[in-house]
Amino acid sequence: MTNGLDDVVAAETVLSDVDGLGGNLTIRGHSLPALAGHWNYPAVVALLFDGFFENLPADEELGARIGEARAEVFRRIEPVLPALSSLDVYGGMRAGMAILPDGESLDDALRLVAAPAVLTPALLRARRGEPAMAPDANLGHAADMLRMLTGAPASPALAKALDTYLVTVCDHGLNASTFATRVVASTQAGLTSSVLGGLGALKGPLHGGAPGPVIEMLDAIAAHGDAATWLRDQLSRGERIMGFGHRIYRVRDPRADVLKSVVRQLGRSGDGADRLVFAEMVEKTALEVLRVAKPSRSIQTNVEFYTALLLEAVGFPAEAFSCVFATGRVSGWVAHAREQQINGRLMRPQSRYVGSIPDKVA
Ligand code: COA
Protein backbone atom coordinates (compact mmCIF):
# COMPACT_ATOMS: atom_id res chain seq x y z
CA MET A 1 0.00 0.00 0.00
CA THR A 2 1.22 3.54 -0.68
CA ASN A 3 0.44 6.30 1.78
CA GLY A 4 0.07 9.13 -0.71
CA LEU A 5 -0.62 7.17 -3.92
CA ASP A 6 2.93 7.66 -5.26
CA ASP A 7 3.33 6.08 -8.71
CA VAL A 8 -0.35 5.03 -8.88
CA VAL A 9 -1.80 5.70 -12.36
CA ALA A 10 -5.43 6.68 -11.68
CA ALA A 11 -6.44 8.08 -15.09
CA GLU A 12 -5.46 8.20 -18.75
CA THR A 13 -5.34 11.72 -20.12
CA VAL A 14 -4.56 13.55 -23.35
CA LEU A 15 -4.22 16.82 -21.43
CA SER A 16 -0.76 17.00 -19.89
CA ASP A 17 2.29 15.00 -18.91
CA VAL A 18 4.77 15.75 -16.14
CA ASP A 19 8.24 14.27 -16.70
CA GLY A 20 9.74 14.44 -13.23
CA LEU A 21 13.20 13.16 -14.11
CA GLY A 22 13.66 15.20 -17.29
CA GLY A 23 12.00 18.32 -15.85
CA ASN A 24 9.55 18.69 -18.76
CA LEU A 25 5.86 19.59 -18.86
CA THR A 26 3.87 18.74 -22.01
CA ILE A 27 0.41 20.24 -22.52
CA ARG A 28 -1.58 18.59 -25.33
CA GLY A 29 1.52 17.94 -27.42
CA HIS A 30 3.23 21.29 -26.72
CA SER A 31 6.15 21.79 -24.35
CA LEU A 32 5.60 24.47 -21.70
CA PRO A 33 8.27 26.84 -23.14
CA ALA A 34 6.51 26.66 -26.54
CA LEU A 35 3.24 27.86 -24.96
CA ALA A 36 4.19 30.23 -22.13
CA GLY A 37 4.78 33.75 -23.47
CA HIS A 38 3.67 32.72 -26.98
CA TRP A 39 0.03 31.64 -26.61
CA ASN A 40 -2.47 33.73 -24.69
CA TYR A 41 -4.65 32.19 -21.98
CA PRO A 42 -7.87 31.88 -24.07
CA ALA A 43 -5.87 30.09 -26.81
CA VAL A 44 -4.65 27.60 -24.20
CA VAL A 45 -8.21 27.18 -22.90
CA ALA A 46 -9.24 26.33 -26.49
CA LEU A 47 -6.37 23.83 -26.66
CA LEU A 48 -7.42 22.14 -23.39
CA PHE A 49 -11.14 22.11 -24.24
CA ASP A 50 -10.68 20.73 -27.77
CA GLY A 51 -12.84 17.60 -28.21
CA PHE A 52 -14.61 17.99 -24.86
CA PHE A 53 -17.36 20.44 -25.89
CA GLU A 54 -19.66 20.66 -28.90
CA ASN A 55 -19.31 23.79 -31.07
CA LEU A 56 -16.10 24.96 -29.40
CA PRO A 57 -15.26 28.25 -31.16
CA ALA A 58 -11.78 29.13 -32.47
CA ASP A 59 -9.29 30.88 -30.15
CA GLU A 60 -10.28 34.46 -30.87
CA GLU A 61 -14.01 33.87 -30.56
CA LEU A 62 -13.40 31.85 -27.39
CA GLY A 63 -11.55 34.87 -25.93
CA ALA A 64 -14.64 37.00 -26.63
CA ARG A 65 -16.92 34.34 -25.09
CA ILE A 66 -14.75 34.28 -21.93
CA GLY A 67 -15.15 38.10 -21.82
CA GLU A 68 -18.95 37.73 -22.02
CA ALA A 69 -18.78 35.04 -19.33
CA ARG A 70 -16.88 37.48 -17.03
CA ALA A 71 -19.72 39.98 -17.48
CA GLU A 72 -22.35 37.30 -16.76
CA VAL A 73 -20.52 36.07 -13.65
CA PHE A 74 -20.31 39.65 -12.37
CA ARG A 75 -24.10 40.07 -12.78
CA ARG A 76 -24.68 36.87 -10.81
CA ILE A 77 -22.25 37.56 -7.95
CA GLU A 78 -22.70 41.32 -7.50
CA PRO A 79 -25.81 40.98 -5.26
CA VAL A 80 -24.07 38.51 -2.92
CA LEU A 81 -20.66 40.26 -2.77
CA PRO A 82 -21.28 41.71 0.73
CA ALA A 83 -21.86 38.19 2.10
CA LEU A 84 -18.86 36.75 0.20
CA SER A 85 -16.67 39.57 1.55
CA SER A 86 -17.24 38.42 5.13
CA LEU A 87 -15.02 35.39 4.36
CA ASP A 88 -11.28 35.32 3.64
CA VAL A 89 -10.52 36.01 -0.04
CA TYR A 90 -10.15 32.33 -0.99
CA GLY A 91 -13.32 31.38 0.89
CA GLY A 92 -15.23 34.21 -0.77
CA MET A 93 -14.06 33.09 -4.22
CA ARG A 94 -14.99 29.46 -3.48
CA ALA A 95 -18.44 30.46 -2.18
CA GLY A 96 -19.01 32.74 -5.20
CA MET A 97 -18.16 29.92 -7.59
CA ALA A 98 -20.53 27.59 -5.73
CA ILE A 99 -23.56 29.62 -6.82
CA LEU A 100 -22.85 29.05 -10.54
CA PRO A 101 -25.05 26.53 -12.41
CA ASP A 102 -23.76 22.95 -12.20
CA GLY A 103 -24.13 21.77 -15.82
CA GLU A 104 -21.78 20.31 -18.42
CA SER A 105 -22.14 22.72 -21.35
CA LEU A 106 -19.55 25.09 -22.81
CA ASP A 107 -21.40 28.01 -21.18
CA ASP A 108 -21.08 26.29 -17.78
CA ALA A 109 -17.37 25.74 -18.46
CA LEU A 110 -16.74 29.33 -19.54
CA ARG A 111 -18.48 30.77 -16.47
CA LEU A 112 -16.14 28.67 -14.32
CA VAL A 113 -13.09 29.84 -16.30
CA ALA A 114 -14.23 33.46 -15.95
CA ALA A 115 -15.28 33.39 -12.29
CA PRO A 116 -11.96 33.55 -10.35
CA ALA A 117 -10.78 36.46 -12.53
CA VAL A 118 -13.92 38.40 -11.56
CA LEU A 119 -14.27 37.33 -7.93
CA THR A 120 -10.64 37.82 -6.84
CA PRO A 121 -10.40 41.55 -7.68
CA ALA A 122 -13.95 42.21 -6.45
CA LEU A 123 -13.22 40.60 -3.07
CA LEU A 124 -9.86 42.37 -2.71
CA ARG A 125 -11.48 45.72 -3.46
CA ALA A 126 -14.21 44.99 -0.90
CA ARG A 127 -11.51 44.44 1.73
CA ARG A 128 -10.16 47.90 0.89
CA GLY A 129 -13.69 49.35 1.16
CA GLU A 130 -13.82 50.03 -2.60
CA PRO A 131 -16.76 49.11 -4.88
CA ALA A 132 -16.27 46.23 -7.32
CA MET A 133 -15.40 47.12 -10.94
CA ALA A 134 -17.59 45.57 -13.65
CA PRO A 135 -15.65 43.52 -16.24
CA ASP A 136 -14.86 44.91 -19.71
CA ALA A 137 -15.68 42.01 -22.02
CA ASN A 138 -13.53 43.53 -24.80
CA LEU A 139 -10.28 43.30 -22.86
CA GLY A 140 -7.96 40.30 -22.61
CA HIS A 141 -8.61 38.02 -19.63
CA ALA A 142 -5.44 38.97 -17.70
CA ALA A 143 -5.64 42.69 -18.60
CA ASP A 144 -9.24 42.84 -17.42
CA MET A 145 -8.47 41.04 -14.16
CA LEU A 146 -5.76 43.62 -13.36
CA ARG A 147 -7.99 46.53 -14.38
CA MET A 148 -10.73 45.23 -12.07
CA LEU A 149 -8.13 45.04 -9.26
CA THR A 150 -6.66 48.53 -9.55
CA GLY A 151 -9.41 50.45 -11.31
CA ALA A 152 -6.96 51.63 -13.99
CA PRO A 153 -5.88 50.07 -17.30
CA ALA A 154 -3.05 47.56 -16.79
CA SER A 155 0.27 48.20 -18.52
CA PRO A 156 0.86 45.76 -21.40
CA ALA A 157 3.93 44.39 -19.53
CA LEU A 158 1.94 43.53 -16.40
CA ALA A 159 -0.98 42.07 -18.39
CA LYS A 160 1.44 39.93 -20.41
CA ALA A 161 3.20 38.76 -17.23
CA LEU A 162 -0.09 37.68 -15.63
CA ASP A 163 -1.27 36.04 -18.86
CA THR A 164 2.00 34.05 -19.04
CA TYR A 165 1.50 32.97 -15.42
CA LEU A 166 -2.07 31.76 -16.12
CA VAL A 167 -0.80 29.72 -19.10
CA THR A 168 2.10 28.30 -17.07
CA VAL A 169 -0.16 26.88 -14.34
CA CYS A 170 -3.15 25.86 -16.52
CA ASP A 171 -2.60 22.12 -16.13
CA HIS A 172 -0.11 19.77 -14.50
CA GLY A 173 -0.96 16.09 -14.69
CA LEU A 174 -2.83 14.44 -11.84
CA ASN A 175 -1.85 16.88 -9.09
CA ALA A 176 -3.93 16.79 -5.88
CA SER A 177 -6.56 19.33 -6.97
CA THR A 178 -6.97 17.83 -10.44
CA PHE A 179 -7.32 14.38 -8.90
CA ALA A 180 -9.97 15.73 -6.50
CA THR A 181 -11.77 17.31 -9.47
CA ARG A 182 -11.71 14.02 -11.39
CA VAL A 183 -12.98 12.02 -8.40
CA VAL A 184 -16.04 14.30 -8.19
CA ALA A 185 -16.53 14.25 -11.99
CA SER A 186 -16.32 10.44 -11.96
CA THR A 187 -19.66 10.39 -10.09
CA GLN A 188 -21.16 12.30 -13.08
CA ALA A 189 -21.65 15.37 -10.86
CA GLY A 190 -21.62 18.66 -12.80
CA LEU A 191 -18.65 20.88 -13.64
CA THR A 192 -19.19 23.32 -10.77
CA SER A 193 -19.27 20.51 -8.19
CA SER A 194 -16.14 19.03 -9.75
CA VAL A 195 -14.26 22.35 -9.76
CA LEU A 196 -15.26 22.96 -6.13
CA GLY A 197 -13.48 19.68 -5.29
CA GLY A 198 -10.35 21.08 -6.96
CA LEU A 199 -10.70 24.42 -5.19
CA GLY A 200 -10.82 22.68 -1.82
CA ALA A 201 -7.66 20.69 -2.53
CA LEU A 202 -5.74 23.65 -3.97
CA LYS A 203 -6.06 25.69 -0.79
CA GLY A 204 -3.67 23.66 1.37
CA PRO A 205 -0.08 24.81 1.95
CA LEU A 206 1.37 21.62 0.45
CA HIS A 207 -0.31 22.50 -2.89
CA GLY A 208 -1.59 25.91 -4.03
CA GLY A 209 -1.36 27.59 -0.65
CA ALA A 210 2.44 27.73 -0.75
CA PRO A 211 3.21 31.07 -2.50
CA GLY A 212 1.76 33.30 0.23
CA PRO A 213 4.10 31.76 2.83
CA VAL A 214 7.01 32.21 0.35
CA ILE A 215 6.56 35.99 0.65
CA GLU A 216 6.37 35.70 4.46
CA MET A 217 9.59 33.66 4.36
CA LEU A 218 11.40 36.23 2.18
CA ASP A 219 10.29 39.05 4.47
CA ALA A 220 11.32 37.12 7.60
CA ILE A 221 14.77 36.36 6.12
CA ALA A 222 15.21 40.02 5.08
CA ALA A 223 14.37 41.10 8.66
CA HIS A 224 16.68 38.43 10.17
CA GLY A 225 19.60 39.25 7.90
CA ASP A 226 21.22 35.78 7.63
CA ALA A 227 19.45 33.48 5.15
CA ALA A 228 21.41 30.30 5.94
CA THR A 229 20.84 30.56 9.71
CA TRP A 230 17.12 31.34 9.27
CA LEU A 231 16.64 28.42 6.87
CA ARG A 232 18.59 25.95 9.05
CA ASP A 233 16.55 27.03 12.10
CA GLN A 234 13.38 26.46 10.10
CA LEU A 235 14.45 22.88 9.30
CA SER A 236 15.60 22.17 12.85
CA ARG A 237 12.10 23.14 14.08
CA GLY A 238 10.76 20.46 11.69
CA GLU A 239 9.25 23.11 9.38
CA ARG A 240 9.33 22.91 5.57
CA ILE A 241 10.89 25.50 3.31
CA MET A 242 8.07 26.77 1.15
CA GLY A 243 8.59 26.89 -2.61
CA PHE A 244 10.90 23.85 -2.61
CA GLY A 245 10.28 20.14 -3.17
CA HIS A 246 7.83 18.26 -5.33
CA ARG A 247 6.25 14.82 -5.40
CA ILE A 248 7.13 14.23 -9.08
CA TYR A 249 10.03 16.51 -10.00
CA ARG A 250 13.49 15.36 -8.92
CA VAL A 251 15.02 18.17 -10.97
CA ARG A 252 14.06 21.82 -11.16
CA ASP A 253 10.36 22.44 -11.89
CA PRO A 254 10.31 23.79 -15.49
CA ARG A 255 7.58 26.27 -14.52
CA ALA A 256 9.98 27.93 -12.07
CA ASP A 257 12.31 28.93 -14.93
CA VAL A 258 9.48 30.30 -17.08
CA LEU A 259 8.18 32.42 -14.20
CA LYS A 260 11.65 33.54 -13.15
CA SER A 261 12.32 34.90 -16.63
CA VAL A 262 9.00 36.80 -16.54
CA VAL A 263 9.96 38.30 -13.16
CA ARG A 264 13.36 39.25 -14.61
CA GLN A 265 11.66 41.02 -17.56
CA LEU A 266 9.41 42.93 -15.16
CA GLY A 267 12.44 43.82 -13.01
CA ARG A 268 14.07 45.39 -16.06
CA SER A 269 11.07 47.64 -16.69
CA GLY A 270 10.21 48.37 -13.04
CA ASP A 271 11.62 48.45 -9.55
CA GLY A 272 11.44 44.73 -8.69
CA ALA A 273 15.09 44.11 -9.59
CA ASP A 274 16.40 44.27 -5.99
CA ARG A 275 13.68 41.88 -4.81
CA LEU A 276 14.70 39.38 -7.52
CA VAL A 277 18.40 39.56 -6.58
CA PHE A 278 17.46 38.94 -2.93
CA ALA A 279 15.14 36.03 -3.86
CA GLU A 280 17.87 34.45 -6.01
CA MET A 281 20.24 34.58 -3.03
CA VAL A 282 17.59 32.95 -0.79
CA GLU A 283 16.91 30.29 -3.44
CA LYS A 284 20.61 29.43 -3.77
CA THR A 285 21.03 29.29 0.00
CA ALA A 286 17.88 27.17 0.48
CA LEU A 287 19.00 24.64 -2.13
CA GLU A 288 22.35 24.29 -0.37
CA VAL A 289 20.77 24.01 3.12
CA LEU A 290 18.30 21.39 1.82
CA ARG A 291 21.07 19.44 0.06
CA VAL A 292 23.01 19.17 3.33
CA ALA A 293 19.93 18.48 5.52
CA LYS A 294 18.25 15.92 3.19
CA PRO A 295 21.13 14.32 1.26
CA SER A 296 19.06 11.32 0.16
CA ARG A 297 16.35 13.36 -1.55
CA SER A 298 16.70 15.85 -4.41
CA ILE A 299 14.65 18.85 -3.22
CA GLN A 300 14.56 21.54 -5.89
CA THR A 301 12.84 24.89 -6.48
CA ASN A 302 9.16 24.46 -7.35
CA VAL A 303 6.67 26.67 -9.21
CA GLU A 304 5.49 28.44 -6.06
CA PHE A 305 8.77 30.24 -5.33
CA TYR A 306 8.69 32.41 -8.46
CA THR A 307 4.88 32.48 -8.50
CA ALA A 308 5.12 34.49 -5.29
CA LEU A 309 7.54 37.01 -6.83
CA LEU A 310 5.57 37.30 -10.07
CA LEU A 311 2.19 37.82 -8.40
CA GLU A 312 3.71 40.33 -5.99
CA ALA A 313 5.24 42.21 -8.95
CA VAL A 314 1.93 42.40 -10.85
CA GLY A 315 0.20 43.82 -7.77
CA PHE A 316 -1.62 41.02 -5.94
CA PRO A 317 -1.39 40.80 -2.14
CA ALA A 318 -0.17 37.45 -0.73
CA GLU A 319 -3.64 36.64 0.65
CA ALA A 320 -4.91 36.34 -2.97
CA PHE A 321 -2.08 34.25 -4.48
CA SER A 322 -4.02 30.97 -4.27
CA CYS A 323 -7.00 32.65 -5.97
CA VAL A 324 -4.79 33.69 -8.87
CA PHE A 325 -3.40 30.15 -9.06
CA ALA A 326 -7.03 28.93 -9.31
CA THR A 327 -7.65 31.52 -12.08
CA GLY A 328 -5.11 29.66 -14.24
CA ARG A 329 -5.72 26.08 -13.08
CA VAL A 330 -9.52 26.20 -13.47
CA SER A 331 -9.26 25.53 -17.22
CA GLY A 332 -7.28 22.34 -16.55
CA TRP A 333 -9.80 21.23 -13.91
CA VAL A 334 -12.72 21.74 -16.30
CA ALA A 335 -10.97 19.84 -19.12
CA HIS A 336 -10.07 16.96 -16.76
CA ALA A 337 -13.64 16.86 -15.42
CA ARG A 338 -15.01 16.56 -18.97
CA GLU A 339 -12.42 13.92 -19.88
CA GLN A 340 -13.40 11.93 -16.79
CA GLN A 341 -17.14 12.35 -17.42
CA ILE A 342 -16.78 11.22 -21.03
CA ASN A 343 -14.20 8.44 -20.77
CA GLY A 344 -13.88 7.45 -17.11
CA ARG A 345 -15.59 5.16 -14.63
CA LEU A 346 -16.62 5.90 -11.05
CA MET A 347 -13.41 6.24 -8.98
CA ARG A 348 -13.83 4.01 -5.97
CA PRO A 349 -10.55 2.74 -4.46
CA GLN A 350 -10.38 0.56 -1.35
CA SER A 351 -8.99 1.13 2.09
CA ARG A 352 -7.40 -1.51 4.29
CA TYR A 353 -9.17 -1.77 7.64
CA VAL A 354 -6.69 -1.58 10.52
CA GLY A 355 -9.21 -0.83 13.30
CA SER A 356 -10.43 -3.08 16.07
CA ILE A 357 -12.41 -6.22 15.29
CA PRO A 358 -15.96 -6.46 16.70
CA ASP A 359 -16.53 -9.02 19.48
CA LYS A 360 -18.11 -12.26 18.26
CA VAL A 361 -21.85 -12.35 19.10
CA ALA A 362 -22.52 -15.58 21.04
N1 COA B 1 11.38 21.62 3.10
C1 COA B 1 11.94 20.73 3.97
N2 COA B 1 11.90 19.40 3.81
C2 COA B 1 11.24 18.93 2.72
C3 COA B 1 10.65 19.79 1.79
C4 COA B 1 10.74 21.19 2.00
N3 COA B 1 10.19 22.08 1.16
N4 COA B 1 10.08 19.05 0.81
C5 COA B 1 10.30 17.76 1.13
N5 COA B 1 11.00 17.71 2.28
C6 COA B 1 11.47 16.51 2.97
C7 COA B 1 10.47 16.00 4.01
O1 COA B 1 10.64 16.63 5.24
C8 COA B 1 10.80 14.54 4.03
O2 COA B 1 11.96 14.35 4.79
P1 COA B 1 12.13 13.05 5.74
O3 COA B 1 12.07 11.88 4.79
O4 COA B 1 13.45 13.27 6.38
O5 COA B 1 10.96 13.09 6.69
C9 COA B 1 11.14 14.21 2.59
O6 COA B 1 11.59 15.46 2.01
C10 COA B 1 9.96 13.69 1.80
O7 COA B 1 8.84 14.50 2.05
P2 COA B 1 7.36 14.13 1.56
O8 COA B 1 6.38 15.10 2.17
O9 COA B 1 7.09 12.67 1.69
O10 COA B 1 7.53 14.39 0.03
P3 COA B 1 6.45 14.75 -0.99
O11 COA B 1 6.80 14.13 -2.24
O12 COA B 1 5.07 14.50 -0.49
O13 COA B 1 6.69 16.35 -1.02
C11 COA B 1 5.73 18.49 -1.14
C12 COA B 1 6.07 17.20 -1.88
C13 COA B 1 5.39 19.56 -2.18
C14 COA B 1 4.50 18.25 -0.26
C15 COA B 1 6.91 18.95 -0.25
O14 COA B 1 8.07 19.07 -1.04
C16 COA B 1 6.62 20.26 0.49
O15 COA B 1 5.98 20.22 1.53
N6 COA B 1 7.11 21.43 -0.04
C17 COA B 1 6.86 22.68 0.59
C18 COA B 1 5.48 23.22 0.20
C19 COA B 1 5.44 23.65 -1.25
O16 COA B 1 6.30 24.36 -1.75
N7 COA B 1 4.34 23.24 -1.93
C20 COA B 1 4.10 23.58 -3.33
C21 COA B 1 4.27 22.38 -4.19
S1 COA B 1 4.20 22.79 -5.91
Side-chain angles (χ1 to χ4, degrees):
M1 196 191 81
T2 122
N3 176 14
L5 303 179
D6 312 48
D7 301 325
V8 173
V9 175
E12 291 201 338
T13 183
V14 297
L15 292 167
S16 60
D17 181 49
V18 180
D19 166 10
L21 294 178
N24 301 308
L25 169 60
T26 301
I27 298 172
R28 291 209 97 165
H30 301 266
S31 70
L32 176 65
L35 292 178
H38 305 289
W39 292 42
N40 66 24
Y41 186 65
V44 172
V45 176
L47 180 71
L48 289 169
F49 283 8
D50 186 24
F52 297 123
F53 294 97
E54 277 174 27
N55 306 320
L56 184 72
D59 303 1
E60 226 163 81
E61 199 194 326
L62 192 71
R65 292 274 298 274
I66 293 172
E68 288 161 18
R70 284 196 305 277
E72 191 200 325
V73 167
F74 186 76
R75 284 193 293 277
R76 284 175 184 269
I77 56 125
E78 200 185 9
V80 293
L81 268 175
L84 300 180
S85 313
S86 66
L87 302 166
D88 63 66
V89 187
Y90 198 84
M93 179 191 71
R94 191 182 50 208
M97 290 177 76
I99 65 169
L100 297 176
D102 198 17
E104 281 141 33
S105 69
L106 181 61
D107 283 336
D108 293 306
L110 295 181
R111 275 191 292 268
L112 287 164
V113 167
V118 177
L119 280 154
T120 307
L123 291 162
L124 287 170
R125 288 179 72 86
R127 288 176 97 70
R128 302 196 301 248
E130 294 168 1
M133 302 277 302
D136 179 345
N138 298 316
L139 288 178
H141 196 55
D144 201 22
M145 187 178 186
L146 289 177
R147 185 195 60 86
M148 287 187 276
L149 178 68
T150 63
S155 76
L158 291 187
K160 170 92 177 167
L162 179 59
D163 190 70
T164 303
Y165 170 75
L166 299 178
V167 168
T168 302
V169 301
C170 71
D171 198 38
H172 198 241
L174 207 56
N175 59 87
S177 59
T178 301
F179 181 50
T181 301
R182 284 191 82 123
V183 170
V184 180
S186 84
T187 70
Q188 298 297 334
L191 291 176
T192 299
S193 296
S194 306
V195 162
L196 288 172
L199 277 173
L202 188 76
K203 187 181 181 196
L206 300 189
H207 189 11
V214 168
I215 291 295
E216 286 163 21
M217 173 179 81
L218 291 176
D219 290 344
I221 292 174
H224 182 277
D226 179 348
T229 305
W230 190 94
L231 291 161
R232 277 192 221 104
D233 287 352
Q234 179 85 347
L235 289 183
S236 62
R237 283 193 303 272
E239 303 280 343
R240 296 194 171 201
I241 302 181
M242 303 310 274
F244 296 86
H246 199 270
R247 177 62 64 81
I248 308 281
Y249 291 120
R250 288 293 157 262
V251 295
R252 206 178 152 78
D253 184 333
R255 299 168 298 173
D257 286 329
V258 169
L259 299 185
K260 183 175 177 172
S261 77
V262 175
V263 176
R264 185 165 284 145
Q265 289 284 339
L266 284 178
R268 270 195 210 116
S269 55
D271 58 1
D274 292 350
R275 185 71 156 162
L276 179 61
V277 170
F278 178 71
E280 282 177 321
M281 180 280 290
V282 171
E283 181 190 14
K284 202 164 155 242
T285 311
L287 290 172
E288 180 57 20
V289 166
L290 283 164
R291 194 182 59 75
V292 172
K294 309 273 173 191
S296 59
R297 191 174 176 92
S298 171
I299 301 176
Q300 302 293 326
T301 316
N302 68 41
V303 65
E304 308 295 15
F305 191 78
Y306 286 103
T307 287
L309 290 182
L310 190 154
L311 296 186
E312 183 183 63
V314 298
F316 286 100
E319 63 180 331
F321 287 177
S322 306
C323 298
V324 190
F325 191 166
T327 308
R329 182 55 58 82
V330 67
S331 55
W333 290 335
V334 169
H336 275 273
R338 287 297 295 147
E339 190 178 47
Q340 183 69 34
Q341 287 172 337
I342 294 166
N343 302 327
R345 285 178 74 210
L346 175 71
M347 288 206 191
R348 203 309 182 188
Q350 299 210 38
S351 48
R352 178 178 299 132
Y353 181 65
V354 294
S356 58
I357 309 288
D359 293 336
K360 285 221 173 77
V361 182

